[in-house]
Amino acid sequence: MPKKDFFQENTFIDNSEEKITITKEASIYSGKMPRIEAHGKSKNLPNKIFAIGRDKSNAVIIADPKVSKFHALVIFKDNACYIRDTQSKNGTYVNDTKLQAGKDVKLNNNDIIVVGNTKIKYHS
């Protein structure tokens, strides 16, 4: 059975004023899914590990010079969602608290994730 690709090559955010573009979005499939929200747009996320960063191989691509190529990972385990900073240059923040690189931090409903100049609201 082929691996299901939950991401499509669509523009998620194009805010040229802040030079932030996320060029992949999660497609919707049946079942309850967590979602992220940024700049007034909301997208569902698959319940699998995915990466956030500037590099085009990430599931969520953010074109922001303050975001590292491979900035953070979002991990789903034990029916919960966690985020891990991957030793990014400018750090990853959850609710104004800087994450320790390599340490998984549980995300809760309405948490605010900051990578570079980008604020992302997490909804469980």
Side-chain angles (χ1 to χ4, degrees), residues 72-74 82-85 92 94 99 103-105 107 113:
L73 292 174
V74 176
Y82 297 83
I83 189 164
R84 177 189 309 156
D85 181 83
T92 302
V94 174
L99 303 184
K103 182 179 178 186
D104 294 349
V105 173
L107 291 172
I113 303 162

Side-chain angles (χ1 to χ4, degrees), residues 101-119:
K103 182 179 178 186
D104 294 349
V105 173
K106 185 177 179 183
L107 291 172
N108 297 301
N109 193 40
N110 294 320
D111 278 349
I112 302 296
I113 303 162
V114 177
V115 292
N117 292 319
T118 304
K119 289 185 181 181

